[in-house]
C-alpha cells in the first residue's frame, strides 16, 4: 500500500531509510511491502535454487529479495534524479555492468514476482507496466494460491503471454538457453 506522500521521493531519500523496512519507490511514491508468508518464502527459495544451480559457472547472476533494482537509472545519474526502486522477489542479471554494491542499475533480464494478497494489484498492473517500460525481457508472475506461473516475454516493447504453468509442468526460462524450471518442486507440499 502506498505510504502518505508529502513529496516526490528519490533514491537519495531511499538510501537514508531503515534497511529493515521493506519499501519500494514507485515513481517517487514509497510503497510499504508486507513480510512474505512461509509459502512465499518456500516458493522463492526453490525458484532461486533451480535458477542458481543452472547459472553455476555462467555469466548471469540471480538475486533474491531484498535486492534493489533501479529500473530507469543510467550510468552517471545522480541518486536525487532516480525515483523508482523495486525489490523483485527474484532478479536475473546477465550484464554485469548493471551491477554495483547497492544492487542493479537498469532492467534485469528476468524478474519473478510472487503474489501475496497485498501485492496482487501492484504486481499485475503497476510493476507489469514498469517492467515492460524498463525493458525487462521476461517477467514471471507466481500465484501461490493457484499454484501457477504466468510467463511474459518482451516483444516489440510489449509483453506477450509466453506460457502458463501449473502442477508438475516444466517451464522454459526464455532468456536463459537450456534452463527449465520444475514446477512440481516449486509447488511441493
Amino acid at each position: 500500500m502506498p505510504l502518505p506522500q508529502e513529496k516526490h521521493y528519490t533514491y537519495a531519500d531511499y538510501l537514508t531509510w531503515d534497511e529493515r523496512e521493506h519499501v519500494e519507490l514507485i515513481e517517487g511514491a514509497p510503497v510499504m511491502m508486507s513480510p512474505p508468508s512461509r509459502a512465499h518464502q518456500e516458493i522463492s527459495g526453490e525458484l532461486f535454487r533451480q535458477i542458481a544451480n543452472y547459472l553455476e559457472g555462467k555469466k548471469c547472476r540471480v538475486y533474491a529479495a531484498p535486492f534493489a533494482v533501479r529500473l530507469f537509472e543510467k550510468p552517471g545519474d545522480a541518486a536525487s534524479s532516480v525515483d523508482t526502486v523495486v525489490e523483485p522477489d527474484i532478479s536475473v542479471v546477465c550484464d554485469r555492468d548493471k551491477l554495483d554494491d547497492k544492487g542493479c542499475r537498469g532492467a534485469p533480464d528476468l524478474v519473478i514476482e510472487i503474489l501475496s494478497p497485498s501485492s496482487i494489484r501492484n504486481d499485475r498492473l503497476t510493476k507489469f507496466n514498469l517492467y515492460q517500460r524498463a525493458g525487462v525481457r521476461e517477467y514471471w508472475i507466481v500465484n501461490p494460491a493457484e499454484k501457477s506461473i504466468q510467463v511474459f516475454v518482451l516483444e516489440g516493447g510489449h509483453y506477450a503471454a509466453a506460457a502458463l504453468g501449473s502442477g508438475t509442468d516444466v517451464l522454459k526460462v526464455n532468456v536463459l538457453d537450456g534452463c527449465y524450471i520444475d514446477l512440481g518442486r516449486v509447488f511441493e507440499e
Side-chain angles (χ1 to χ4, degrees):
M1 79 172 88
L3 294 173
Q5 186 175 354
E6 297 174 15
K7 68 174 196 163
H8 185 92
Y9 292 93
T10 68
Y11 183 51
D13 299 309
Y14 175 94
L15 291 172
T16 68
W17 297 340
D18 188 336
E19 290 177 3
R20 293 169 297 184
E21 297 292 328
H22 291 285
V23 180
E24 292 182 313
L25 187 60
I26 309 292
E27 296 176 329
V31 178
M32 286 291 291
M33 297 167 53
S34 302
S37 68
R38 181 187 57 79
H40 180 288
Q41 289 295 80
E42 288 176 357
I43 290 167
S44 179
E46 180 58 26
L47 286 166
F48 181 89
R49 187 192 65 74
Q50 289 187 43
I51 293 169
N53 286 348
Y54 170 80
L55 289 177
E56 191 170 335
K58 296 179 175 65
K59 73 172 189 157
C60 299
R61 294 288 178 256
V62 61
Y63 300 92
F67 178 72
V69 175
R70 289 112 54 208
L71 284 172
F72 303 104
E73 183 179 335
K74 308 246 182 315
D77 282 354
S80 60
S81 68
V82 175
D83 69 357
T84 299
V85 183
V86 293
E87 292 187 3
D89 289 306
I90 297 176
S91 303
V92 174
V93 181
C94 295
D95 179 354
R96 297 226 188 140
D97 289 338
K98 291 182 176 181
L99 299 171
D100 62 21
D101 290 342
K102 300 288 185 187
C104 179
R105 180 182 55 244
D109 295 272
L110 168 67
V111 164
I112 299 175
E113 293 286 7
I114 302 167
L115 299 177
S116 64
S118 65
S119 76
I120 292 172
R121 179 176 170 77
N122 199 34
D123 292 339
R124 289 197 179 279
L125 296 172
T126 305
K127 286 186 172 181
F128 182 97
N129 289 320
L130 283 173
Y131 295 150
Q132 180 175 257
R133 200 171 80 214
V136 174
R137 295 171 42 214
E138 187 166 354
Y139 179 37
W140 288 26
I141 299 175
V142 180
N143 187 329
E146 295 179 5
K147 297 185 178 185
S148 67
I149 298 178
Q150 290 179 286
V151 177
F152 299 93
V153 175
L154 198 62
E155 294 177 359
H158 297 282
Y159 280 135
L164 174 62
S166 62
T168 58
D169 292 343
V170 174
L171 282 181
K172 175 184 179 189
V173 179
N174 297 279
V175 297
L176 300 174
D177 274 348
C179 183
Y180 295 88
I181 302 299
D182 178 355
L183 298 192
R185 297 186 67 114
V186 171
F187 297 117
E188 220 169 39
E189 293 297 321

